[in-house]
Every structure is written in C-alpha cells, then in structure tokens.
Amino acid sequence: MDKMPVILTFDVDVELIWRARDPDGFRNTVTKSLSQYEITSGIPRIMKILEKYGKLPASFFVPGEIAEEYPEIVKLIDRSGFEICNHGYSHIYPAKLPSGAAEREEYEKSNLILEKLTGKVPKGYRSPAWEFSDYTLDIIEDMGFEFDSNMMGSDCIEYLHVGERKSKIVEIPIAWVLDDAAYWLYSGRTQGKCMQPIDSVQNYWIKTFDVLYDEFLEEKKEGRNPDKAFVLTCHPQIIGRPANSTVLDNLLRHICEHTEIEFMSLSTVTKKFREEHE
C-alpha cells in the first residue's frame, strides 16, 4: 500500500447485542431502551463526526433482523454513501447454531434483506462476536464474499486462512483492544465490569495508531510493501454516547495530522490489496 489504510467499522447491532447473549435479560424494558440509543442518537452523532473530517468512508455491519426492524436507518446509512456489510441475521454466535444449514440460512437471509433495501449485495462478512464454526469458511466462500473482518492473528491485511487452509477471501484484521465494547459495554446484567475512563481509551487507540504508522513508514523506507492497517470497530450505542464520541473525534483529528494515511472502506482496501497481491 502506498499509504497506510485507516478503516472505520461500525456494528449496528441495536438490541441484538443484548438479546443474543442474554435473552432473559433483554425482556427488561430499560435494557431495551439502552439499545434504542443507537437509532435515536448514536448513528446521527457518528455521521456528524465523519462529516466533520470530510465525510470519511466507513463500513457498517448490519444484522438482517435489525435491517428488517429498522429499514429506514439502513437506507439512511446507504444514502449517506457508507458501505453496508453482512453481520448475520440474528447475531447468534455461529457455534451456537444447530447446523451448517442453519448458519448458511442466517447469512443468505441477511444478504437478501440488505440487497432489497440498498440494491447492493453485501461484499463482506463479519461474524457475531468474531467467532467461526466448523462450517463458516465453507459458507462464506460459497456465498462469494470478497472480504472478511474477524481474525486477530496479524496487524496486516492478508488472505484469510483457517489453520492450514487458505482462502481467496481478503482478511482485514481486528482486535478486541480496538473495539469500544471491550471498554464500555455495560448494563444492569453486566455489573462488576468496570467501564474505562475515556482518556485511557483515547490514549490507547492513539498510541496503537502511532506504532502502526511508524512501522508502516519504516517498512516502506526499506523498500517493502507494507500491508499494515489501523482497523477500528465501534458500536453506535456505545461510541455514540456524548463523552465516548469525543474519543472518536479526537482520534480522527490525530490521524488526520499524518500524511501517509488513507481512510478507506473495506471494499476499497480489499480491491487495492488484490491488485497488489494477485
């Protein structure tokens, strides 16, 4: 890559982030209202921040069930020029589904719903909770996904591999430390988990970017073709809270001060990677 990719991703889980892990707890009306913040305030606030820095590209992962329940928010994301990707249908973790056929149905159903709302077939996939079952790789290959964003074994974009098996799907790496849920996901059902100070998270994310950027420049100076990328994962109901949103704002301000970076959607970075690594 000529410039280091900076990739902003958002998982639009709404109530499924709670219901998939704790169906009983989600019957609580307060927990339900917590998830609604994503629709009423979180997504609009995020879009405003992205617009502030020149309408930065971003990729949104939307479960099919959420797209069915909130079609207007999917249309808003699409109309605003952002990429929409497959995040399963019900947000149930793949290994908890009863069969490979049931898992395939989840992804195919979600694709059909998103295509109906946007006119575009999703090009990429992200698993609920970043998990694979024994069937996942076969399914996403058969469905023709161009990219995947689930693995944590590298700082670099590469072709997806599971064990010794290699795929033609491009893998855009992620990490729990670059996910807002690791620091701030909280409800009455998760008492005992300590939410982190916003300054600590901001400092961690900025330092992570700085290290990757320095390594990218060093590899480029040595004549190598660096494939390092900074990939952030956020949830609008979490990062969209007023104070939390300042972390995203300040992080983007810091990144924009650097010249050898390029904000890209997942589709764009996938295309560039394939051109350089046929």
Side-chain angles (χ1 to χ4, degrees):
M1 301 281 179
D2 291 334
K3 294 189 175 183
M4 190 177 83
V6 176
I7 303 163
L8 307 175
T9 70
F10 299 93
D11 292 359
V12 186
D13 297 332
V14 197
E15 63 260 28
L16 295 187
I17 198 171
W18 305 104
R19 193 165 73 212
R21 61 164 45 87
D22 183 13
D24 292 334
F26 189 74
R27 294 192 179 96
N28 183 298
T29 56
V30 175
T31 305
K32 289 182 181 180
S33 74
L34 174 62
S35 68
Q36 288 301 302
Y37 193 85
E38 188 152 304
I39 303 297
T40 62
S41 304
I43 290 176
R45 185 169 284 127
I46 288 168
M47 288 186 173
K48 187 175 180 180
I49 292 172
L50 297 177
E51 184 75 30
K52 176 180 177 180
Y53 293 96
K55 199 168 186 180
L56 299 178
S59 300
F60 287 74
F61 288 88
V62 185
E65 189 172 339
I66 296 304
E68 280 184 322
E69 191 166 352
Y70 306 99
E72 291 310 313
I73 203 69
V74 174
K75 292 178 181 178
L76 171 63
I77 294 169
D78 178 60
R79 191 166 59 245
S80 299
F82 299 112
E83 176 176 42
I84 296 178
C85 309
N86 191 308
H87 197 34
Y89 176 76
S90 63
H91 206 269
I92 294 175
Y93 308 160
K96 291 186 177 181
L97 291 164
S99 65
E103 184 178 354
R104 179 185 294 270
E105 183 180 359
E106 284 264 318
Y107 309 153
E108 290 179 343
K109 189 174 181 180
S110 185
N111 260 13
L112 289 172
I113 294 164
L114 294 172
E115 182 183 8
K116 183 178 179 180
L117 290 172
T118 67
K120 308 178 189 78
V121 178
K123 295 181 179 180
Y125 166 76
R126 172 173 285 168
S127 164
W130 290 330
E131 291 185 0
F132 269 34
S133 75
D134 293 339
Y135 314 105
T136 305
L137 182 54
D138 286 332
I139 294 169
I140 63 176
E141 283 187 334
D142 289 345
M143 290 181 64
F145 285 115
E146 297 179 13
F147 62 84
D148 174 88
S149 186
N150 290 293
M151 299 298 173
M152 307 186 192
S154 175
D155 294 318
C156 298
I157 300 166
E158 56 190 13
Y159 284 106
L160 173 63
H161 62 275
V162 177
E164 297 300 316
R165 180 175 169 183
K166 297 181 180 179
S167 174
K168 294 181 180 179
I169 296 173
V170 174
E171 176 62 37
I172 291 88
I174 48 79
W176 283 115
V177 292
L178 291 174
D179 182 329
D180 60 356
Y183 306 102
W184 296 318
L185 184 69
Y186 186 91
S187 78
R189 304 281 292 194
T190 59
Q191 290 179 0
K193 178 181 177 180
C194 181
M195 288 188 283
Q196 301 302 307
I198 61 171
D199 290 345
S200 297
V201 179
Q202 179 176 300
N203 186 49
Y204 190 95
W205 286 355
I206 286 175
K207 285 194 173 183
T208 299
F209 168 81
D210 287 346
V211 171
L212 291 173
Y213 185 75
D214 288 345
E215 291 178 351
F216 178 90
L217 293 181
E218 182 179 353
E219 291 179 17
K220 190 174 178 181
K221 185 177 180 180
E222 293 172 352
R224 290 187 277 167
N225 184 13
D227 293 315
K228 282 188 168 60
F230 180 85
V231 186
L232 187 69
T233 302
C234 291
H235 301 75
Q237 63 185 274
I238 301 175
I239 199 69
R241 290 283 173 177
N244 296 353
S245 73
T246 66
V247 175
L248 178 62
D249 194 337
N250 293 334
L251 171 67
L252 295 179
R253 181 182 298 110
H254 176 78
I255 292 174
C256 287
E257 293 172 353
H258 297 72
T259 57
E260 299 300 306
I261 60 98
E262 183 177 352
F263 289 93
M264 303 183 198
S265 69
L266 289 167
S267 287
T268 298
V269 78
T270 295
K271 183 174 183 294
K272 285 181 176 289
F273 179 83
R274 288 189 188 280
E275 289 171 351
E276 297 178 5
H277 299 274
E278 293 185 8

